[in-house]
Amino acid sequence: MPPKTRKAKKEDVVEQDEEVAEEILEETKPAKLPETDKGYERKIVVAKAGSLPNSRIIKLRHPKEGCALYRISEDNFDEILAVNDGHRSFFYGESVIENGTIHVFAAYNPIFICLPYLEKTESKFVEIDEILKDEQYEDIKELAGNQRVLRTLEVICDVKDVLDVKLFRLNRQKMLEWISGKFESLKKQMESDAHKSLLDCAEAYDRHVFTFLADFLSPEFSQIVKNHLKIQEATSSENVDMSMKRRATEEDEFFEKEKPAAKKPKESIQTKKLQAASKGTKSISSFFGKNTN
C-alpha cells in the first residue's frame, strides 16, 4: 500500500467535511409544511351575545329575489349579511385570517320569508308542512318545525285546530295591518338620520321609508302594500331639491353689474402682419357671389 501523501490526506478531509455538512443539513432540514385544513378556517362574526350555540345555517329563497343565508335556532332567526371592502385581513393569535369579510347576523322576521308561500294557499286552511314546501330550497322545512316561527305566523294568519293538527290560512287584512305597523315603526326609527328636505315633505319621506320596507317583500306584495299605505308617486318637481337652490338677491344683482367687461385677447405680432398684408383684398366668398357686371 502506497504511503499517504499530503494531497491524499487533504482529499480525505474534504470528503469528511462534506459528509458532516450533509448530516447537518439533513438534521436541520425543515419538516414538510402541513396542508391547509378547511376545518380550521376562521370567520369574523358579529352576533347577539350567547346566541350562537344550538343554531344552524340554512339557505332560503329571499322574498324579493334570489336566495340568502339565514341562521335559525329556537330563539333566533337572522339573515347573514357579508360586509367586505375587498382589502381587509385579520390577525388571530399567531396566524392571519386572509379573508377579511365580516358576517353580521341581523335579526329578520320569518313572516317575510313565509308570505310568498302563504299566498299560494290563501283560499283554504292547510297544514304548515304543506305550505312551507320548496323543492329548490328544502331548508324551508326548518321553519315549519320551529315553534317560535309558528307562533309568529299567527299574527297574520287564521289558525284552526282539527284533530290536534294546526291549520293555517293567510288573512290578508291582518297581514296588511301588521305591515302598516312595521312601516310606522320604521318611519320613527329613521327620523333622526333623515335629511331635512325629506322630513319637510311627508309624501317624499313615506316614499323614502317604503324603499327599505320593499326590500323584504316580493314585487307582487310590494305593490299591494304600496297601495294600502297610499304611497304617492314622485312628481317631476321633486327630482330637484329646491332647498339646495339659491335665490338671486339685490346684492347678487349689484355684483353682476359691477363685473368688469371681458378684455379682448391681445393679438400676436404675426396676426397683425397678416391683417396688414390682407388690406385691400376681397374675401374668398366674394368670388362665389353673384356677378353684378
Side-chain angles (χ1 to χ4, degrees):
M1 181 175 177
K4 290 184 179 181
T5 63
R6 184 181 298 273
K7 184 177 180 182
K9 290 181 179 180
K10 186 175 181 181
E11 289 177 351
D12 291 343
V13 171
V14 171
E15 289 179 359
Q16 291 177 0
D17 290 344
E18 288 179 352
E19 290 177 359
V20 171
E22 288 180 0
E23 290 179 359
I24 294 173
L25 288 174
E26 188 66 29
E27 292 176 357
T28 58
K29 186 177 180 181
K32 184 181 177 182
L33 294 175
E35 296 182 2
T36 302
D37 187 347
K38 299 294 183 181
Y40 286 92
E41 286 188 353
R42 307 278 183 175
K43 296 187 183 299
I44 304 299
V45 175
V46 179
K48 185 179 178 181
S51 65
L52 291 178
N54 303 318
S55 59
R56 299 173 298 284
I57 306 298
I58 59 177
K59 182 187 289 187
L60 300 174
R61 189 184 301 276
H62 193 275
K64 187 174 183 180
E65 58 183 353
C67 64
L69 290 177
Y70 297 88
R71 188 275 299 263
I72 187 172
S73 69
E74 287 300 324
D75 301 312
N76 299 280
F77 186 79
D78 305 312
E79 182 181 12
I80 302 176
L81 305 174
V83 181
N84 185 13
D85 59 8
H87 303 283
R88 185 193 295 119
S89 297
F90 293 100
F91 287 103
Y92 183 86
E94 299 297 325
S95 61
V96 177
I97 302 174
E98 180 182 1
N99 184 356
T101 303
I102 298 175
H103 296 84
V104 180
F105 287 13
Y108 197 99
N109 197 306
I111 286 180
F112 292 113
I113 296 291
C114 299
L115 265 177
Y117 298 95
L118 290 166
E119 184 194 18
K120 295 178 181 179
T121 59
E122 186 179 0
S123 60
K124 55 186 177 180
F125 284 93
V126 185
E127 289 186 51
I128 196 65
D129 291 338
E130 294 298 318
I131 297 174
L132 302 181
K133 187 166 60 174
D134 193 320
E135 294 181 358
Q136 189 173 358
Y137 299 98
E138 296 183 356
D139 285 341
I140 190 68
K141 63 185 179 183
E142 293 275 356
L143 276 68
N146 188 290
Q147 294 302 315
R148 180 173 174 270
V149 173
L150 298 182
R151 289 193 300 270
T152 304
L153 291 181
E154 294 182 11
V155 176
I156 62 167
C157 292
D158 294 326
V159 183
K160 183 188 294 186
D161 287 324
V162 178
L163 300 176
D164 295 330
V165 176
K166 274 191 175 182
L167 305 178
F168 292 80
R169 182 181 66 183
L170 177 65
N171 185 317
R172 188 159 294 222
Q173 187 59 37
K174 290 172 67 174
M175 179 269 292
L176 291 173
E177 291 176 359
W178 177 79
I179 291 182
S180 297
K182 291 293 181 184
F183 178 72
E184 293 300 325
S185 176
L186 189 59
K187 282 176 63 176
K188 291 180 181 178
Q189 292 179 15
M190 295 181 64
E191 281 181 358
S192 59
D193 296 324
H195 192 274
K196 184 178 181 299
S197 60
L198 281 174
L199 297 175
D200 289 342
C201 180
E203 293 181 356
Y205 183 54
D206 285 351
R207 276 191 296 275
H208 175 68
V209 175
F210 181 74
T211 58
F212 290 88
L213 183 63
D215 286 337
F216 296 84
L217 301 170
S218 65
E220 297 78 12
F221 267 119
S222 180
Q223 189 58 48
I224 292 171
V225 174
K226 187 176 183 179
N227 294 336
H228 177 74
L229 296 174
K230 298 179 181 179
I231 304 296
Q232 302 296 322
E233 295 293 339
T235 60
S236 57
S237 61
E238 287 183 22
N239 293 329
V240 179
D241 188 357
M242 300 302 292
S243 65
M244 301 301 290
K245 284 191 171 183
R246 182 169 161 270
R247 294 183 179 179
T249 63
E250 293 181 0
E251 187 179 359
D252 295 328
E253 294 174 359
F254 171 78
F255 284 110
E256 187 67 28
K257 292 176 182 178
E258 292 296 317
K259 282 183 180 178
K263 291 183 179 181
K264 187 177 180 180
K266 189 176 181 180
E267 295 178 345
S268 64
I269 297 174
Q270 192 68 20
T271 303
K272 289 179 179 180
K273 288 181 179 181
L274 288 172
Q275 289 176 350
S278 64
K279 282 184 179 180
T281 61
K282 295 181 179 180
S283 65
I284 193 170
S285 61
S286 63
F287 290 99
F288 299 95
K290 187 176 180 180
N291 190 351
T292 55
N293 295 332

